[in-house]
Amino acid sequence: GDSVTQMEGPVTLSEEAFLTINCTYTATGYPSLFWYVQYPGEGLQLLLKATKADDKGSNKGFEATYRKETTSFHLEKGSVQVSDSAVYFCALLSSGGYNKLIFGAGTRLAVHP
Amino acid sequence: EPEVTQTPSHQVTQMGQEVILRCVPISNHLYFYWYRQILGQKVEFLVSFYNNEISEKSEIFDDQFSVERPDGSNFTLKIRSTKLEDSAMYFCASRGNTWTSGSGNEQFFGPGTRLTVL
């Protein structure tokens, strides 16, 4: 079945460092891909998405490119801030049925001043 | 901006008791979902609901769980006899029609209800 694999955390960075969080997927067809962010004590917020191959999703300085050749959707940010500290979830929209989201395990990011 | 709301934000119950978690999806949305997140783990799909019936459910969604849209606005998740392992954050989500909604296939999540079973 469909699945998402994320790099394990926690990831600890200094402010202004470059961030990469790896995400790969297994799915039939070409599902839409998402990154969600969960700040401490809060719910899930959509960070960015891409709906087809080579699409680049971007928001708040974060970017991710849908790579069908490598079945990847890695999240990047050029210069992280303390306020980016959160858990990041990669997810795909399953192609069958009524489009449930399948999430990766989540990667906790801690940014220190 | 329209948003999904959930009540209560935190529910504490005794094992074996029934709980009902409530959600108000975005008003013109047609597809509704429940997900759960056990503390420190990933978010897992429970059930999807469309046209007043369950369209898909996961293995987690056994006979102890049920969903209902009683009045055209609320969407509820009932757990008949709670177990310790039901302790988790429960998220409701909704989405509009893929072809007519400006948001396409995006699911909008509520803030979650934290369920604690003692």
Side-chain angles (χ1 to χ4, degrees):
Chain A
D2 297 351
S3 65
V4 176
T5 302
Q6 277 181 249
M7 66 184 284
E8 292 187 16
V11 174
T12 304
L13 295 173
S14 298
E15 208 164 23
E16 299 184 2
F18 184 85
L19 168 71
T20 300
I21 300 178
N22 290 337
C23 171
T24 57
Y25 68 89
T26 301
T28 52
Y30 302 105
S32 295
L33 301 173
F34 304 83
W35 277 99
Y36 282 84
V37 59
Q38 185 178 34
Y39 296 104
E42 298 186 13
L44 295 167
Q45 299 178 28
L46 179 66
L47 181 59
L48 53 84
K49 68 178 182 180
T51 57
K52 61 184 187 298
D54 300 325
D55 264 3
K56 177 184 281 189
S58 61
N59 186 25
K60 300 180 181 179
F62 291 89
E63 293 183 338
T65 301
Y66 190 140
R67 304 279 189 204
K68 72 174 182 179
E69 307 84 13
T70 53
T71 60
S72 66
F73 192 55
H74 304 322
L75 182 68
E76 297 181 336
K77 186 174 185 182
S79 176
V80 293
Q81 305 300 312
V82 172
S83 56
D84 294 326
S85 298
V87 181
Y88 292 82
F89 291 93
C90 184
L92 67 80
L93 199 65
S94 68
S95 55
Y98 291 83
N99 297 145
K100 64 188 178 193
L101 281 167
I102 295 172
F103 288 86
T107 302
R108 182 174 300 278
L109 171 65
V111 181
H112 299 291
Chain B
E1 184 175 332
E3 58 181 16
V4 177
T5 59
Q6 291 185 243
T7 55
S9 57
H10 191 190
Q11 173 96 46
V12 180
T13 189
Q14 296 291 324
M15 190 169 56
Q17 295 297 302
E18 174 184 287
V19 295
I20 297 176
L21 311 183
R22 291 184 167 79
C23 168
V24 179
I26 293 173
S27 64
N28 62 346
H29 281 187
L30 302 175
Y31 301 84
F32 312 107
Y33 307 83
W34 283 101
Y35 295 83
R36 80 170 186 190
Q37 182 185 29
I38 294 172
L39 187 63
Q41 298 186 24
K42 69 177 175 181
V43 179
E44 302 172 289
F45 167 78
L46 289 179
V47 65
S48 58
F49 191 85
Y50 171 73
N51 199 25
N52 283 319
E53 60 183 25
I54 290 173
S55 47
E56 187 175 359
K57 59 184 180 179
S58 72
E59 294 175 352
I60 303 167
F61 196 89
D62 61 22
D63 291 345
Q64 293 301 311
F65 291 87
S66 62
V67 289
E68 194 176 38
R69 190 158 158 79
D71 55 12
S73 62
N74 290 282
F75 178 50
T76 62
L77 174 69
K78 182 193 292 186
I79 309 175
R80 289 189 184 82
S81 178
T82 50
K83 303 187 283 283
L84 295 176
E85 54 264 38
D86 293 328
S87 294
M89 181 75 91
Y90 289 80
F91 292 106
C92 172
S94 70
R95 74 170 174 93
N97 184 298
T98 302
W99 308 112
T100 61
S101 166
S103 56
N105 55 16
E106 179 182 343
Q107 293 181 23
F108 292 80
F109 282 79
T113 293
R114 179 167 299 285
L115 175 66
T116 301
V117 182
L118 303 176

